[in-house]
Amino acid sequence: MSQLSDLVIELPSDLEITLTRAFDAPRDLVFAAHSQAEHLKHWWGRGNPLDIEIDFRVGGRYRFVEHAQDGNSYAFRGEFREIVSPERIVQTFEYEGMPGHVLEEALTFTEQDGRTVVSSTSRFDTKQERDGMLDTGMTQGAAESYAALERHLATLV
């Protein structure tokens, strides 16, 4: 287990990465921030400008294009496999810059004392794919995105 800012990073198996972070906001709001374009645009992609297409339903798809400060655009896409509002989202995730490397991501939302803990477990096909994702700096990007989410949520509560 390691920690990056307020983000806890765990490797529960050779095929998984789990990221956990608590937010000072109610679960319904944190869930909405993960499922509605009007919220996602403020924090996903580290808070950089974002093009969002989202059909939030089981079988629905999403595509996000982050316009990064380095002048490049990074596209991500996936499909929603399970939605239990406001408790759980299971979706696929694929970085279009590495086509064919699709992982499954399960997010759980747990509220305690007005704070919400989000735990995201990504499951890969191989240990090499998991380790390759870690080498991309994804944990730093996730920490930056969740910091942007914390700032966005503070404007809403």
Side-chain angles (χ1 to χ4, degrees), residues 1 10 26 53 58 70 79 89 98 114 134-135 149 155-156:
M1 182 172 81
E10 298 175 280
E53 298 170 25
V58 173
D70 64 9
E79 179 180 319
I89 300 169
M98 294 179 63
L134 287 169
D135 290 342
L149 175 56
T155 69
L156 303 173

Side-chain angles (χ1 to χ4, degrees), residues 87-144:
E87 301 169 11
R88 181 173 163 85
I89 300 169
V90 178
Q91 62 194 21
T92 61
F93 178 90
E94 179 180 14
Y95 169 50
E96 290 183 7
M98 294 179 63
H101 297 276
V102 180
L103 60 97
E104 184 175 86
E105 183 176 51
L107 295 99
T108 59
F109 302 80
T110 308
E111 185 172 347
Q112 284 185 296
D113 304 321
R115 289 176 54 87
T116 301
V117 175
V118 178
S119 180
S120 170
T121 299
S122 298
R123 184 167 179 81
F124 299 81
D125 289 333
T126 67
K127 182 180 186 307
Q128 292 75 21
E129 285 187 354
R130 184 206 66 180
D131 293 349
M133 180 65 85
L134 287 169
D135 290 342
T136 68
M138 66 85 70
T139 54
Q140 179 66 38
E144 292 171 7

Side-chain angles (χ1 to χ4, degrees), residues 24 55 70 79 151:
D24 289 319
D55 179 10
D70 64 9
E79 179 180 319
R151 290 189 300 273

Side-chain angles (χ1 to χ4, degrees), residues 46-57:
R46 302 170 289 173
N48 287 323
L50 197 65
D51 297 329
I52 298 174
E53 298 170 25
I54 186 168
D55 179 10
F56 189 68
R57 62 180 177 81

